[in-house]
């Protein structure tokens, strides 16, 4: 039933889009109001999969934070719902999502399956950069919350990872998403390190940096590398000092990996080779996952 309703909504929005080239088009303000109501009430309707799950199996914590989806039908309906908003005029899409991002995240916090909608909007070249910009702007305000090991902090971390992964999600939108992420890169890295050094449990900040480094470390993001380069000396000194100190094995391996995967070109690392020797030796003597780095 839900699938049929969502499919009907998509057809209606598509028909609404077709009227733009005719004399029957409604005003942009009226259209935005209709779509905003669809977005708001549609998200609430999708809670039916939480209230009345089709499967009696209770999802594990790991599954909830991986995608939150319980059945194949739920995944298909969520992707279908997300695809509705890829049909919109970019200005209307941006207006609605900007206005309702807090509401969307609140719904997502109670229904982790809605992560599928995030992913759908971020892999589509028509909505990816706009949605990514709105989402990461929201997440930047939540950086201090990563100091706590809570469900919300895990959710923020998961959403950051989804945004980072969108940079290379499709070749056609790669450059656009790279430009989307660039204005936030400096503050993201700098504030994460500052907050990590003050936090009692800083692991989420380093997991955030690891996700960022892994996503943009492929060697083809020159705009991001140029932005990252001024941060390199300070970051390497701090990470080197941390990995040389006494920490749990998990944290120490994390520091070593971060030292060895900083997202800059190899030629830019040459002046800092002395800072990389100790992490490199530790990595070679460490676990197999570190050796692969």
């Amino acid at each position: 039933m839900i699938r049929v309703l969502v499919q009907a909504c998509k057809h209606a929005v598509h028909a609404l889009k077709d009227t733009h080239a005719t004399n029957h088009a409604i005003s942009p303000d009226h259209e935005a109001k209709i779509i905003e109501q669809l977005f708001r009430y549609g998200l609430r309707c999708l809670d039916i999969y939480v209230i009345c799950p089709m499967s009696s199996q209770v999802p594990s914590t790991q599954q909830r934070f991986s995608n939150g989806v319980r059945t194949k039908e739920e995944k298909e309906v969520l992707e279908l719902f997300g695809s509705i908003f890829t049909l919109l005029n970019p200005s209307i899409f941006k207006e609605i999502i900007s206005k309702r991002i807090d509401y969307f995240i609140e719904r997502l916090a109670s229904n982790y399956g809605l992560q599928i909608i995030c992913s759908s909007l971020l892999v589509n070249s028509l909505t990816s950069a706009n949605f990514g910009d709105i989402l990461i702007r929201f997440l930047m305000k939540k950086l201090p919350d990563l100091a706590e090991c809570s469900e919300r902090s895990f959710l923020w971390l998961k959403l950051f990872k989804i945004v980072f992964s969108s940079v290379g999600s499709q070749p056609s939108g790669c450059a656009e998403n790279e430009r989307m992420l660039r204005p936030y890169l400096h503050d993201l890295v700098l504030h994460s390190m500052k907050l990590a050094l003050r936090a009692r449990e800083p692991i989420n900040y380093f997991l955030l940096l690891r996700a960022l480094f892994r996503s943009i470390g492929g060697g083809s993001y020159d705009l991001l590398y140029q932005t990252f380069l001024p941060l390199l000396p300070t970051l390497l000194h701090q990470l080197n000092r941390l990995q040389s100190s006494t920490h749990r094995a998990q944290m120490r391996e994390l520091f070593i990996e971060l030292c060895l995967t900083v997202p800059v070109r190899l030629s830019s690392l040459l002046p800092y080779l002395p800072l990389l020797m100790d992490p490199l030796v530790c990595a070679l003597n460490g676990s197999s996952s570190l050796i692969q780095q």
Side-chain angles (χ1 to χ4, degrees):
M1 181 64 176
I2 293 294
R3 189 206 301 266
V4 174
L5 289 173
V6 174
Q7 186 70 60
C9 289
K10 183 172 183 178
H11 287 315
V13 172
H14 200 285
L16 191 62
K17 180 181 178 182
D18 289 342
T19 65
H20 292 173
T22 71
N23 296 326
H24 304 290
I26 62 176
S27 69
D29 289 343
H30 190 194
E31 180 178 346
K33 184 177 180 180
I34 292 172
I35 302 299
E36 182 185 342
Q37 289 178 330
L38 172 62
F39 184 71
R40 181 183 175 187
Y41 294 116
L43 290 174
R44 292 180 64 181
C45 288
L46 292 171
D47 281 353
I48 192 170
Y49 291 106
V50 179
I51 300 169
C52 305
M54 297 182 65
S55 172
S56 59
Q57 182 180 359
V58 178
S60 65
T61 301
Q62 183 178 2
Q63 183 186 14
R64 289 176 66 208
F65 283 108
S66 61
N67 58 30
V69 173
R70 288 152 287 269
T71 65
K72 180 181 178 182
E73 179 185 329
E74 180 183 4
K75 182 176 184 294
E76 291 174 351
V77 169
L78 290 168
E79 289 176 343
L80 184 61
F81 184 78
S83 70
I84 292 174
F85 302 94
T86 65
L87 301 173
L88 302 180
N89 180 287
S91 61
I92 291 179
F93 173 84
K94 193 169 185 178
E95 176 188 343
I96 292 170
I97 301 299
S98 297
K99 184 177 179 180
R100 290 295 177 181
I101 187 65
D102 292 285
Y103 176 78
F104 176 57
I105 299 300
E106 281 303 313
R107 302 310 308 170
L108 199 157
S110 60
N111 180 2
Y112 286 99
L114 299 182
Q115 293 176 52
I116 295 292
I117 297 175
C118 284
S119 299
S120 296
L121 295 174
L122 284 169
V123 299
N124 189 293
S125 60
L126 298 174
T127 55
S128 185
N130 278 335
F131 183 69
D133 181 69
I134 295 167
L135 182 56
I136 199 168
R137 201 182 318 140
F138 172 89
L139 292 172
M140 289 294 290
K141 300 174 185 176
K142 304 299 180 182
L143 268 180
D145 296 348
L146 292 182
E148 303 174 5
C149 290
S150 63
E151 286 202 358
R152 281 300 173 101
S153 65
F154 292 142
L155 175 59
W156 306 148
L157 187 59
K158 174 65 176 178
L159 292 176
F160 266 119
K161 290 178 180 179
I162 292 175
V163 175
F164 297 157
S165 65
S166 73
V167 175
S169 60
Q170 69 279 332
S172 60
C174 183
E176 191 175 355
N177 282 20
E178 186 181 359
R179 288 192 293 271
M180 172 272 293
L181 184 58
R182 185 182 185 184
Y184 303 99
L185 186 64
H186 182 276
D187 287 345
L188 178 60
V189 174
L190 208 59
H191 290 171
S192 292
M193 286 300 298
K194 287 181 178 178
L195 290 167
L197 295 175
R198 295 203 302 259
R200 177 172 294 183
E201 287 293 337
I203 189 168
N204 283 336
Y205 294 107
F206 296 115
L207 291 174
L208 174 65
L209 292 176
R210 183 176 71 175
L212 175 65
F213 290 5
R214 286 181 174 182
S215 296
I216 66 174
S220 57
Y221 306 108
D222 285 331
L223 287 176
L224 297 180
Y225 299 157
Q226 291 169 15
T227 305
F228 190 88
L229 202 54
L231 299 169
L232 188 59
T234 302
L235 186 64
L236 280 179
H237 277 96
Q238 289 178 335
L239 289 174
N240 208 287
R241 187 168 63 252
L242 287 169
Q243 71 89 21
S244 300
S245 305
T246 303
H247 291 283
R248 300 191 304 270
Q250 179 191 10
M251 291 290 288
R252 192 159 185 268
E253 288 193 357
L254 191 51
F255 298 144
I256 293 170
E257 179 180 343
L258 290 173
C259 285
L260 298 178
T261 57
V262 284
V264 293
R265 295 201 176 278
L266 185 58
S267 57
S268 302
L269 283 174
L270 293 178
Y272 307 102
L273 279 180
L275 290 174
L276 297 175
M277 295 310 296
D278 189 37
L280 184 59
V281 171
C282 292
L284 292 174
N285 293 325
S287 63
S288 58
S289 61
L290 273 179
I291 294 174
Q292 291 173 2
Q293 299 299 328

